[in-house]
Structure formats: structure tokens, C-alpha cells
């Protein structure tokens, strides 16, 4: 029996291990079932092909997913939203897809949001805002791509349009759970396991463990619900001069978020938000006298008030 086991495919051994502990967990060895559909959700589809993929639904299942990989001698790579541009959410071992870990809870007393890594930023923005009381809507600072998973975005040090006022999402963390390579859970905050807590802010990215839960301080949406969105366009031949001068722009101490994007066949585009105002004229006044904005008169695609903070984020 030992000889047969040692000759077996590592992916098959892994599937047998996890199925014995959690028979209902979705898991596939290479080329079986939904394997190709799942791994294709990565941005870099030419990245390594895992020996197996598994989709735990909760923290205990995640712990055993890690333990089984260690037992059969396979490495692991976690994936939250699949937006790893370097392909690091794919590996030759076990890809642990966190998409089904969808725990989400907002505590109205502490005003802390606790979310699992299966959530993507777009859903977090809307769910937090509309699940919080109507007279006390809440926000957290997130990025602009709605499909990015929080499991990579937060420990990766992701930034976004509210960052000038609120910092990074990880700057607002109050506690995290991390599953270690042995399958144990570490609870970390400013008072215990502080080294792990620091890893959750741009220092980890799945290299030391897999974050299974994030508790995040929220902020009143009142200021961010007063918001104007904009989209300007300049000729591509003005891009160099505008971008060079844009680097000196101060973004009004975080009240404004202004992004530039070049498109080979579509010119230079500037888009963003003015927080704290629903008046388009006031928004325009924040940068119309800046050097980068005076290089050439832009074509105004959009300059209008948004309904609320989540709608403004969706526009971006």
C-alpha cells in the first residue's frame, strides 16, 4: 500500500485527503471537473498550472486545505480575486481559491466591519454602505477595480480615491486572522501577535500565511456622499507636458482624487472625484488654475454630482 501511495499523483493524493475530512468541499485535481474554469479566472492565464484547486467555504476548511497540502508535500498559493499581475495566485502546488469565503458582518456598536477574503471591493463598497443604518452610512477606503479581492488588496497595501483622507484600507485594520503553513490560526491586532498584524499592511501577500478574516474600522459617509465625478480628455500630443506637471499637483489634501490615463488611440484622459462637494463648479475650481490643467483646454466628458459615495466609486 505504501508503494502504491508513493507512486500516486500528488494532486490525487491531495483531493483524497481533503475529501476525507470535508466531503462537500469543492476541489479538483489537474484537468478534472471545473479545474480549467476556475484557474482561468486569473489575469495571467499562462501562469503555472496547479496540481489541484480547492475552494474552502470557511476558516476550518481553509485550515485543513493547508494541512492536506503539507501532508502530501505540495506548496500552496492563495487566490482572492485573481488580479495578481505577476501570476502569484497560480502555482504548481495547490491553488486555494478563497472565493467562497464570503463572511460579512457590520457591528453597529463598534462600527467595525469584519469581512472574509472571498469578497471583492465593489461588493464591499455597496454592502457596507447599504447594510449600515440609513442615518449613519459607513465607508472604508478601497480601490477602484470592483473585481479585486480583499484577500490580496488589503495585505498588498492597496490604495484608492479615499486614501488622501483615510489612508490605505490596511491602515484602518483593527484585527486579522491568518492561517499559517501548519494550518493554525493566528489572531493578530495592535496588542497581540503584532508582527503578523504588521504583515497585513503591505508586508505579506500570501507568503507567510493566508489571511482568513479582516476587521476594519469604518468611517461616516457624510463627507464622501457629497461628491462630484469628472472625466476630461486632452490630445495625446499634450500628454508628456501635462503628466510632467501633474506630478506637482497636491490633490487638495485628499479632497480631490485625480488620475491620468493614456490611451494610444484615444488621447490623455483625466478622471476622478471631488469629495466634500456636490457642486461641479466648485470641483472644477480645485484644479483649473493648476499648471497641468492649463497646458491645454480639456474636453469635458463628464462633470456632475454623484448620488453617493458607492456610486462615485462605481464611476471610477
Amino acid at each position: 500500500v505504501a508503494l502504491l501511495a508513493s507512486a500516486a499523483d500528488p494532486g490525487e493524493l491531495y483531493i483524497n485527503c481533503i475529501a476525507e475530512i470535508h466531503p462537500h468541499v469543492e476541489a479538483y485535481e489537474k484537468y478534472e471537473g471545473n479545474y480549467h474554469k476556475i484557474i482561468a479566472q486569473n489575469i495571467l492565464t499562462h501562469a503555472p498550472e496547479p496540481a489541484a484547486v480547492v475552494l474552502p467555504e470557511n476558516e476550518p476548511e481553509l485550515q485543513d486545505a493547508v494541512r492536506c497540502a503539507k501532508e502530501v508535500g505540495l506548496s500552496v498559493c492563495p487566490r482572492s480575486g485573481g488580479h495578481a499581475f505577476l501570476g502569484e495566485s497560480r502555482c504548481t502546488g495547490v491553488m486555494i481559491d478563497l472565493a467562497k469565503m464570503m463572511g460579512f458582518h457590520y457591528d453597529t456598536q463598534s462600527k467595525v466591519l469584519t469581512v472574509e477574503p472571498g469578497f471583492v471591493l465593489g461588493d464591499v463598497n455597496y454592502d457596507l454602505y447599504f447594510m449600515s443604518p440609513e442615518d449613519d452610512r459607513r465607508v472604508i477606503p478601497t480601490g477602484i477595480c470592483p473585481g479585486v479581492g480583499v484577500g490580496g488588496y488589503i495585505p498588498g497595501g492597496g490604495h484608492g480615491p479615499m486614501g488622501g483622507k483615510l489612508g490605505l484600507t490596511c491602515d484602518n485594520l483593527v484585527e486579522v486572522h491568518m492561517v499559517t503553513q501548519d494550518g493554525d490560526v493566528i489572531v493578530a491586532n495592535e496588542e497581540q501577535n503584532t508582527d503578523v498584524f504588521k504583515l497585513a499592511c503591505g508586508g505579506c501577500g500570501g507568503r507567510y500565511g493566508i489571511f482568513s478574516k479582516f476587521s476594519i474600522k469604518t468611517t461616516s459617509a457624510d463627507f464622501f456622499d457629497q461628491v462630484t465625478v469628472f472625466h476630461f480628455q486632452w490630445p495625446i500630443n499634450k500628454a508628456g507636458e501635462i503628466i510632467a506637471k501633474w506630478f506637482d499637483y497636491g490633490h487638495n489634501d485628499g479632497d480631490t482624487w485625480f488620475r491620468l490615463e493614456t490611451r494610444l488611440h484615444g488621447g490623455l484622459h483625466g478622471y476622478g472625484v471631488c469629495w466634500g462637494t456636490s457642486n461641479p463648479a466648485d470641483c472644477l475650481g480645485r484644479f483649473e488654475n493648476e499648471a497641468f490643467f492649463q497646458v491645454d483646454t480639456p474636453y469635458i466628458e463628464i462633470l456632475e454630482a454623484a448620488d453617493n459615495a458607492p456610486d462615485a466609486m462605481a464611476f471610477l
Side-chain angles (χ1 to χ4, degrees):
V1 174
L3 288 174
L4 289 174
S6 63
D9 178 82
E12 181 180 354
L13 290 175
Y14 179 82
I15 297 301
N16 292 339
C17 176
I18 197 69
E20 184 175 343
I21 306 170
H22 300 287
H24 302 294
V25 167
E26 186 177 3
Y28 306 99
E29 60 182 295
K30 186 182 286 189
Y31 308 141
E32 299 294 329
N34 288 330
Y35 174 89
H36 279 109
K37 179 180 179 181
I38 293 169
I39 68 168
Q41 294 169 9
N42 281 61
I43 283 182
L44 289 184
T45 56
H46 62 276
E49 292 188 332
V53 296
V54 61
L55 292 87
E57 296 186 19
N58 51 53
E59 194 170 77
E61 290 179 1
L62 173 57
Q63 291 178 262
D64 289 325
V66 172
R67 288 171 181 148
C68 280
K70 184 176 182 179
E71 182 176 321
V72 303
L74 288 172
S75 61
V76 301
C77 48
R79 182 179 74 180
S80 180
H83 281 73
F85 284 97
L86 298 179
E88 294 182 353
S89 54
R90 289 263 293 268
C91 59
T92 57
V94 178
M95 185 178 78
I96 301 180
D97 190 327
L98 305 169
K100 290 189 174 183
M101 293 186 64
M102 295 287 287
F104 188 97
H105 175 70
Y106 173 67
D107 188 302
T108 56
Q109 298 300 313
S110 65
K111 300 185 179 181
V112 168
L113 169 68
T114 300
V115 61
E116 290 184 341
F119 262 85
V120 294
L121 301 184
D123 290 341
V124 169
N125 289 334
Y126 272 91
D127 289 1
L128 171 61
Y129 186 89
F130 290 106
M131 287 177 65
S132 52
E134 190 172 351
D135 60 350
D136 187 23
R137 299 297 195 195
R138 311 296 291 183
V139 294
I140 59 171
T142 64
I144 63 173
C145 183
V148 170
V150 299
Y153 176 83
I154 296 176
H159 59 88
M162 295 181 182
K165 285 296 185 185
L166 303 180
L168 307 179
T169 312
C170 61
D171 290 329
N172 293 270
L173 285 172
V174 295
E175 188 169 275
V176 296
H177 286 200
M178 187 181 81
V179 176
T180 69
Q181 62 181 352
D182 296 317
D184 300 325
V185 174
I186 294 177
V187 178
N189 50 48
E190 291 184 346
E191 297 181 353
Q192 61 177 338
N193 298 311
T194 55
D195 53 346
V196 172
F197 191 60
K198 291 177 181 178
L199 285 177
C201 198
C204 183
R207 292 175 176 81
Y208 300 97
I210 302 175
F211 288 101
S212 54
K213 192 175 294 184
F214 303 92
S215 294
I216 309 162
K217 175 183 65 178
T218 66
T219 299
S220 169
D222 288 351
F223 174 75
F224 299 98
D225 276 343
Q226 302 174 64
V227 56
T228 300
V229 298
F230 57 81
H231 180 185
F232 306 114
Q233 182 176 349
W234 292 270
I236 193 65
N237 63 347
K238 299 292 183 180
E241 186 178 359
I242 291 172
I243 292 172
K245 294 182 176 180
W246 173 83
F247 277 110
D248 294 326
Y249 176 53
H251 296 266
N252 300 101
D253 295 324
D255 285 348
T256 305
W257 186 79
F258 200 119
R259 174 174 173 167
L260 292 178
E261 179 180 288
T262 57
R263 301 175 188 174
L264 184 59
H265 301 293
L268 175 68
H269 293 254
Y271 60 94
V273 292
C274 291
W275 301 117
T277 181
S278 298
N279 185 332
D282 177 62
C283 177
L284 186 62
R286 294 183 182 184
F287 41 76
E288 63 180 351
N289 293 322
E290 297 287 339
F292 80 93
F293 206 77
Q294 293 185 331
V295 171
D296 193 33
T297 302
Y299 172 73
I300 300 176
E301 297 268 4
I302 296 174
L303 180 62
E304 60 186 43
D307 290 339
N308 49 48
D311 283 349
M313 293 294 290
F315 164 81
L316 298 171

